[in-house]
mmCIF file of all heavy atoms in Angstrom:
data_model
loop_
_atom_site.group_PDB
_atom_site.id
_atom_site.type_symbol
_atom_site.label_atom_id
_atom_site.label_comp_id
_atom_site.label_asym_id
_atom_site.label_seq_id
_atom_site.Cartn_x
_atom_site.Cartn_y
_atom_site.Cartn_z
ATOM 1 N N LYS A 257 -1.977 66.929 -31.509
ATOM 2 C CA LYS A 257 -1.140 66.061 -30.651
ATOM 3 C C LYS A 257 -2.042 65.245 -29.703
ATOM 4 O O LYS A 257 -1.587 64.200 -29.213
ATOM 5 C CB LYS A 257 -0.120 66.901 -29.850
ATOM 6 C CG LYS A 257 1.018 67.485 -30.638
ATOM 7 C CD LYS A 257 1.913 68.332 -29.733
ATOM 8 C CE LYS A 257 3.060 69.017 -30.653
ATOM 9 N NZ LYS A 257 3.908 69.780 -29.753
ATOM 10 N N ARG A 258 -3.247 65.835 -29.505
ATOM 11 C CA ARG A 258 -4.203 65.172 -28.597
ATOM 12 C C ARG A 258 -4.868 63.837 -29.150
ATOM 13 O O ARG A 258 -5.379 63.120 -28.443
ATOM 14 C CB ARG A 258 -5.263 66.085 -28.065
ATOM 15 C CG ARG A 258 -4.756 67.202 -27.292
ATOM 16 C CD ARG A 258 -5.841 68.317 -27.086
ATOM 17 N NE ARG A 258 -6.218 68.904 -28.299
ATOM 18 C CZ ARG A 258 -7.286 69.858 -28.365
ATOM 19 N NH1 ARG A 258 -8.023 70.104 -27.293
ATOM 20 N NH2 ARG A 258 -7.533 70.297 -29.533
ATOM 21 N N TYR A 259 -4.788 63.796 -30.539
ATOM 22 C CA TYR A 259 -5.379 62.702 -31.215
ATOM 23 C C TYR A 259 -4.607 62.091 -32.296
ATOM 24 O O TYR A 259 -4.471 62.487 -33.359
ATOM 25 C CB TYR A 259 -6.730 63.022 -31.812
ATOM 26 C CG TYR A 259 -7.579 61.840 -32.321
ATOM 27 C CD1 TYR A 259 -8.200 61.076 -31.545
ATOM 28 C CD2 TYR A 259 -7.500 61.649 -33.612
ATOM 29 C CE1 TYR A 259 -8.978 59.913 -31.890
ATOM 30 C CE2 TYR A 259 -8.173 60.423 -34.185
ATOM 31 C CZ TYR A 259 -8.878 59.638 -33.241
ATOM 32 O OH TYR A 259 -9.519 58.594 -33.798
ATOM 33 N N PHE A 260 -3.841 61.000 -31.935
ATOM 34 C CA PHE A 260 -3.103 60.215 -32.922
ATOM 35 C C PHE A 260 -2.990 58.801 -32.195
ATOM 36 O O PHE A 260 -1.977 58.472 -31.686
ATOM 37 C CB PHE A 260 -1.681 60.765 -33.242
ATOM 38 C CG PHE A 260 -1.303 60.379 -34.589
ATOM 39 C CD1 PHE A 260 -1.638 61.050 -35.645
ATOM 40 C CD2 PHE A 260 -0.431 59.253 -34.737
ATOM 41 C CE1 PHE A 260 -1.254 60.805 -37.028
ATOM 42 C CE2 PHE A 260 -0.015 58.908 -36.056
ATOM 43 C CZ PHE A 260 -0.298 59.663 -37.224
ATOM 44 N N PRO A 261 -4.071 58.023 -32.411
ATOM 45 C CA PRO A 261 -4.152 56.723 -31.768
ATOM 46 C C PRO A 261 -3.031 55.747 -32.289
ATOM 47 O O PRO A 261 -2.360 55.890 -33.348
ATOM 48 C CB PRO A 261 -5.570 56.237 -32.114
ATOM 49 C CG PRO A 261 -6.225 57.342 -32.578
ATOM 50 C CD PRO A 261 -5.367 58.330 -33.221
ATOM 51 N N LYS A 262 -2.917 54.671 -31.432
ATOM 52 C CA LYS A 262 -1.938 53.713 -31.796
ATOM 53 C C LYS A 262 -2.147 53.088 -33.243
ATOM 54 O O LYS A 262 -1.114 52.774 -33.947
ATOM 55 C CB LYS A 262 -1.904 52.557 -30.742
ATOM 56 C CG LYS A 262 -0.810 51.521 -30.850
ATOM 57 C CD LYS A 262 -0.931 50.472 -29.838
ATOM 58 C CE LYS A 262 -0.567 51.091 -28.465
ATOM 59 N NZ LYS A 262 -0.537 49.892 -27.346
ATOM 60 N N ALA A 263 -3.372 52.932 -33.551
ATOM 61 C CA ALA A 263 -3.658 52.356 -34.855
ATOM 62 C C ALA A 263 -3.152 53.173 -36.003
ATOM 63 O O ALA A 263 -2.795 52.745 -36.969
ATOM 64 C CB ALA A 263 -5.208 52.035 -35.048
ATOM 65 N N HIS A 264 -3.218 54.530 -35.813
ATOM 66 C CA HIS A 264 -2.758 55.467 -36.797
ATOM 67 C C HIS A 264 -1.146 55.318 -36.911
ATOM 68 O O HIS A 264 -0.560 55.362 -38.037
ATOM 69 C CB HIS A 264 -3.115 56.933 -36.426
ATOM 70 C CG HIS A 264 -4.547 57.035 -36.570
ATOM 71 N ND1 HIS A 264 -5.150 58.242 -37.027
ATOM 72 C CD2 HIS A 264 -5.601 56.412 -36.188
ATOM 73 C CE1 HIS A 264 -6.445 58.158 -36.949
ATOM 74 N NE2 HIS A 264 -6.788 57.047 -36.421
ATOM 75 N N THR A 265 -0.521 55.203 -35.772
ATOM 76 C CA THR A 265 0.956 54.934 -35.753
ATOM 77 C C THR A 265 1.305 53.645 -36.529
ATOM 78 O O THR A 265 2.239 53.593 -37.176
ATOM 79 C CB THR A 265 1.520 54.966 -34.429
ATOM 80 O OG1 THR A 265 1.106 56.194 -33.736
ATOM 81 C CG2 THR A 265 3.021 54.871 -34.357
ATOM 82 N N LYS A 266 0.448 52.624 -36.318
ATOM 83 C CA LYS A 266 0.665 51.356 -36.901
ATOM 84 C C LYS A 266 0.627 51.304 -38.502
ATOM 85 O O LYS A 266 1.345 50.675 -39.099
ATOM 86 C CB LYS A 266 -0.227 50.329 -36.439
ATOM 87 C CG LYS A 266 0.064 49.792 -34.969
ATOM 88 C CD LYS A 266 -0.916 48.657 -34.594
ATOM 89 C CE LYS A 266 -0.515 48.149 -33.193
ATOM 90 N NZ LYS A 266 -1.210 47.026 -32.700
ATOM 91 N N VAL A 267 -0.268 52.270 -38.963
ATOM 92 C CA VAL A 267 -0.260 52.371 -40.402
ATOM 93 C C VAL A 267 1.072 52.839 -40.961
ATOM 94 O O VAL A 267 1.651 52.311 -41.891
ATOM 95 C CB VAL A 267 -1.298 53.396 -40.808
ATOM 96 C CG1 VAL A 267 -1.213 53.660 -42.271
ATOM 97 C CG2 VAL A 267 -2.742 52.927 -40.528
ATOM 98 N N ILE A 268 1.719 53.869 -40.328
ATOM 99 C CA ILE A 268 3.070 54.251 -40.715
ATOM 100 C C ILE A 268 4.038 53.214 -40.533
ATOM 101 O O ILE A 268 4.879 53.144 -41.415
ATOM 102 C CB ILE A 268 3.329 55.577 -39.863
ATOM 103 C CG1 ILE A 268 2.347 56.703 -40.124
ATOM 104 C CG2 ILE A 268 4.743 56.147 -40.255
ATOM 105 C CD1 ILE A 268 2.528 57.920 -39.220
ATOM 106 N N ARG A 269 4.019 52.529 -39.457
ATOM 107 C CA ARG A 269 5.022 51.475 -39.267
ATOM 108 C C ARG A 269 4.915 50.360 -40.287
ATOM 109 O O ARG A 269 5.894 49.883 -40.710
ATOM 110 C CB ARG A 269 4.844 50.938 -37.851
ATOM 111 C CG ARG A 269 5.128 51.869 -36.692
ATOM 112 C CD ARG A 269 4.960 51.260 -35.340
ATOM 113 N NE ARG A 269 5.843 50.083 -35.127
ATOM 114 C CZ ARG A 269 7.141 50.190 -34.723
ATOM 115 N NH1 ARG A 269 7.601 51.436 -34.473
ATOM 116 N NH2 ARG A 269 7.928 49.145 -34.624
#
Side-chain angles (χ1 to χ4, degrees):
K257 292 180 181 178
R258 293 172 296 176
Y259 186 79
F260 206 84
K262 186 180 291 186
H264 293 221
T265 304
K266 285 186 176 182
V267 171
I268 297 172
R269 292 180 64 85

